[in-house]
Amino acid sequence: MTKTRRMVTAELGNMDAVCEIIDARIPLSSRNPDIDELTAGKRRIVVLNRVDQADPDMTKKWAAYFRSLGYAVIEVDAKSGAGVKQFAPAVRALLKDKLDAYEAKGQVGRVLRVMVLGIPNVGKSTFINKVSGRKTAKAEDRPGVTRGKQWVPVDRTLELLDTPGILWPKFEDPEVGIRLAFTGAIKDDVVDIEELAMRLMDYLGRNYPRAIFERYKVTAEDGDDGWALLQKAARRRGFLISGGEVDTERMSRILLDEFRGGKLGRFTLETVPEEPS
Ligand code: GDP
């Protein structure tokens, strides 16, 4: 982490802007807590990635929220490539005054440099590959290969700096860990599967009751918490163990798999912070 921080700081002076990739389903939990401090003073572009998996209305709200902080924002599904074409125009709009100044000085065609940052699994490599047409596999996936920094051209006058090293999310906050686990960004073996499923069911029951009804034919009644809903769903599916008890562990795995696989629909698990009054 310290190494990554040092590298970001060392390179920042050469950058025109910093691009932060965020998971649109968990726009707060998928950020590195130090990024604002690390990139202070730089123009910022936020890529709300995975919009294909997020609630479209909530994505609009999140985009507006990040714009209100002064960032350029684009909405992207890096896997299919939807939205990536907005990247270059958005960067140029963000840096318009700089480009105008270059032009006034006759420096047409000066290359813009953008550092790309994101927590692991957010889709950074997929995004960079799509936006640049790069085909190479992720080097860090090959054992024993240390990846250096890489310049990746997007077009003739726009280059990305793909930073090696890892920027972690805010793990010390247990709520953040839970949300990252919901989305599958962290492995299931570090969390209790039933606890996780119960919490997910609780959130879905309160915020997306229709989706739960459509998939599992359960309705939240007064007082039903996530655990009650999970049990109801297990019963509906006939997941029973000896003694007539329901197999909530099996149901938990199914709920998480189906949620991550998009079978329940598109969800956003974090709401835009309220304006301070
Ligand atoms: P990185 O660790 O940030 O570089 O993450 P990757 O680019 O390796 O992406 C992690 C996984 O998420 C891969 O399986 C990608 O195919 C998938 N992925 C990345 N972006 C998207 C997206 O916008 N939508 C969906 N559905 N999947 C994505």
Side-chain angles (χ1 to χ4, degrees):
M1 186 69 169
T2 321
K3 214 172 126 201
T4 309
R5 287 181 63 108
R6 238 185 276 127
M7 196 214 53
V8 169
T9 311
E11 294 290 343
L12 205 63
N14 303 319
M15 298 297 137
D16 296 292
V18 171
C19 169
E20 182 187 7
I21 320 268
I22 293 178
D23 184 334
R25 297 170 299 176
I26 44 170
L28 298 177
S29 294
S30 60
R31 305 184 76 189
N32 171 272
D34 305 322
I35 197 154
D36 288 340
E37 176 211 321
L38 266 176
T39 64
K42 279 289 154 187
R43 307 279 175 97
R44 300 269 291 276
I45 176 161
V46 160
V47 172
L48 279 173
N49 191 35
R50 297 184 183 276
V51 295
D52 56 308
Q53 298 177 302
D55 178 333
D57 290 339
M58 296 283 278
T59 298
K60 294 273 162 297
K61 289 187 184 146
W62 276 110
Y65 169 76
F66 286 115
R67 279 194 190 104
S68 78
L69 299 182
Y71 307 152
V73 181
I74 62 169
E75 297 166 28
V76 167
D77 161 6
K79 198 170 175 182
S80 75
V84 297
K85 282 208 175 71
Q86 301 165 46
F87 180 72
V91 170
R92 293 199 167 94
L94 178 71
L95 299 170
K96 185 171 183 313
D97 55 341
K98 245 186 175 183
L99 288 168
D100 288 348
Y102 290 156
E103 199 179 322
K105 285 191 270 176
Q107 300 173 342
V108 196
R110 211 172 136 151
V111 175
L112 296 176
R113 298 197 169 89
V114 179
M115 179 188 280
V116 186
L117 300 174
I119 64 161
N121 261 320
V122 77
K124 187 172 78 143
S125 310
T126 310
F127 175 76
I128 293 178
N129 290 349
K130 269 285 184 308
V131 84
S132 65
R134 177 175 78 169
K135 296 214 169 47
T136 50
K138 269 207 302 197
E140 71 261 46
D141 287 348
R142 283 181 269 138
V145 178
T146 344
R147 199 163 68 112
K149 64 175 188 189
Q150 280 183 47
W151 284 105
V152 187
V154 172
D155 57 36
R156 269 190 318 114
T157 57
L158 179 58
E159 277 182 3
L160 303 180
L161 181 63
D162 184 5
T163 44
I166 296 176
L167 280 180
W168 293 110
K170 197 176 171 186
F171 270 141
E172 57 279 14
D173 179 345
E175 290 299 320
V176 168
I178 296 266
R179 292 193 196 114
L180 289 162
F182 284 163
T183 64
I186 56 175
K187 292 206 168 55
D188 280 341
D189 46 12
V190 296
V191 281
D192 181 84
I193 197 93
E194 287 183 277
E195 160 93 18
L196 199 59
M198 181 185 81
R199 281 167 168 266
L200 180 60
M201 207 45 140
D202 202 62
Y203 184 86
L204 296 175
R206 279 185 286 113
N207 296 282
Y208 298 97
R210 237 200 120 64
I212 298 300
F213 178 73
E214 277 171 11
R215 187 80 197 166
Y216 303 114
K217 303 287 175 272
V218 296
T219 320
E221 278 144 39
D222 283 350
D224 271 355
D225 58 6
W227 184 244
L229 286 172
L230 201 63
Q231 286 186 310
K232 277 187 179 177
R235 207 173 285 285
R236 273 276 184 189
R237 291 236 167 155
F239 296 165
L240 299 173
I241 35 179
S242 57
E245 265 192 66
V246 287
D247 189 348
T248 38
E249 192 185 332
R250 184 166 170 207
M251 190 59 229
S252 297
R253 289 195 191 286
I254 289 194
L255 173 69
L256 290 165
D257 278 356
E258 295 191 343
F259 175 78
R260 292 171 188 156
K263 292 217 170 66
L264 277 81
R266 300 164 69 178
F267 304 101
T268 299
L269 304 174
E270 289 175 331
T271 45
V272 174
E274 306 262 322
E275 297 255 333
S277 48

